[in-house]
Amino acid sequence: MKKFIRSALASAIVSTAVVAGSAQASAITGGDALNQASADSILDIVFVIDTSSSMWDDITAIGTVAQQAVQNLSCPEIDCYIRARFMGITGTRGTVFNETVSSYVLALPATPLSNSSEDNGPAVIDLINHYAWNNDAVGDQKYYKAVVTIGDEGTEQGAPVNQADYDVAYAANQLAISTGTLLIGWVTDDPSAGVTQLFDTMATGGSLGGYAFGDTGGGYIQTVNGSDIQRTLEEILCFAASGGTTNQDLPEPGSLALLGLGLAGLGAARRARK
């Protein structure tokens, strides 16, 4: 299983951030660059979560620290500017996950909705296709876009995991690759059988359900009760803002440490610079 690795020596960097939103949307901007103009990279990232009752504790845990994670970020190898959005699939809960993929897509002119239930796979497809990705990088700045899909059941029609899950997960995987979208699968505690392999394969590649999945450049992570959720969010943000496993511009760190955090792993062993 792939593991997320980062430099053991992370320097403290001043960060600035602004929270913007409305009754229907909540976007958090931040990062560890002084401002967007001085950033090495710009990241648009959307966290989408299954808002069914089994996920309420996870929604609360993430929502409690989301703003602080984005605004107080300190990445070891890059100065980044981040625009983060947090969505439920068809339901809302709390002050951070206060909009849905469904409402977002249906508000767009003449846009069909792929997903009508609490299914992560179609939600990923809808976001990749219809989210307002904004590549406004200038000069030598890098631009990255990422979707983090969070759940404890299958990607289609809940549990059990079956061929329908493999079909939609493969469609999401291929779309992510073709559009250059980093896909990160995040499984929470007590997942249904087969979910960990499904989310991992959808993001990082492998063989499943008769399909040969490719690597989206993203990763996989699993948290359990007691995990440090703020640090988990920070690691995801730094990983994606550095281009995930697709980035060839940053050198391999000289000193690496595997993260604990009770994680099953986040696929992000950064490739060395060519």
Side-chain angles (χ1 to χ4, degrees):
M1 185 175 293
K2 297 184 178 180
K3 300 290 184 182
F4 181 88
I5 53 178
R6 63 173 282 179
S7 172
L9 302 176
S11 59
I13 307 173
V14 177
S15 64
T16 60
V18 176
V19 178
S22 68
Q24 296 180 335
S26 179
I28 303 174
T29 60
D32 59 1
L34 291 176
N35 49 46
Q36 181 173 345
S38 66
D40 298 322
S41 71
I42 297 170
L43 171 67
D44 279 325
I45 186 167
V46 185
F47 293 80
V48 56
I49 195 166
D50 174 355
T51 46
S52 57
S53 59
S54 65
M55 296 293 295
W56 287 355
D57 57 337
D58 303 293
I59 294 167
T60 299
I62 295 170
T64 300
V65 299
Q67 182 173 324
Q68 186 172 353
V70 176
Q71 294 183 345
N72 296 330
L73 195 63
S74 179
C75 299
E77 296 166 353
I78 195 165
D79 291 344
C80 56
Y81 181 79
I82 291 173
R83 296 182 290 247
R85 197 96 165 236
F86 295 81
M87 296 186 181
I89 298 178
T90 59
T92 62
R93 189 168 180 84
T95 58
V96 173
F97 289 99
N98 64 352
E99 63 179 322
T100 69
V101 177
S102 299
S103 61
Y104 182 89
V105 172
L106 290 175
L108 301 174
T111 303
L113 182 67
S114 298
N115 186 64
S116 59
S117 61
E118 292 289 346
D119 296 326
N120 291 75
V124 168
I125 291 171
D126 280 334
L127 285 171
I128 293 175
N129 279 328
H130 304 304
Y131 188 72
W133 306 109
N134 180 25
N135 184 355
D136 53 358
V138 296
D140 293 332
Q141 287 180 325
K142 301 295 184 182
Y143 174 78
Y144 302 110
K145 53 184 180 178
V147 174
V148 183
T149 181
I150 311 167
D152 60 0
E153 295 184 346
T155 51
E156 181 74 282
Q157 301 173 358
V161 172
N162 54 32
Q163 190 61 45
D165 296 283
Y166 306 141
D167 293 343
V168 73
Y170 180 72
N173 170 269
Q174 295 298 290
L175 181 62
I177 293 171
S178 67
T179 58
T181 306
L182 305 175
L183 182 55
I184 296 171
W186 181 346
V187 172
T188 58
D189 53 287
D190 300 323
S192 300
V195 170
T196 55
Q197 183 183 18
L198 177 66
F199 274 59
D200 189 359
T201 304
M202 179 171 62
T204 66
S207 298
L208 193 63
Y211 295 107
F213 289 72
D215 189 348
T216 70
Y220 168 76
I221 192 168
Q222 184 175 353
T223 50
V224 298
N225 289 330
S227 294
D228 187 336
I229 298 301
Q230 181 173 330
R231 188 176 178 189
T232 299
L233 286 170
E234 291 169 352
E235 295 296 338
I236 290 172
L237 293 169
C238 289
F239 166 66
S242 298
T245 60
T246 65
N247 185 29
Q248 299 295 335
D249 296 317
L250 294 178
E252 192 76 43
S255 178
L256 299 175
L258 287 177
L259 287 178
L261 308 182
L263 307 183
L266 173 60
R270 186 172 296 120
R271 299 175 184 134
R273 182 190 304 185
K274 286 184 177 180

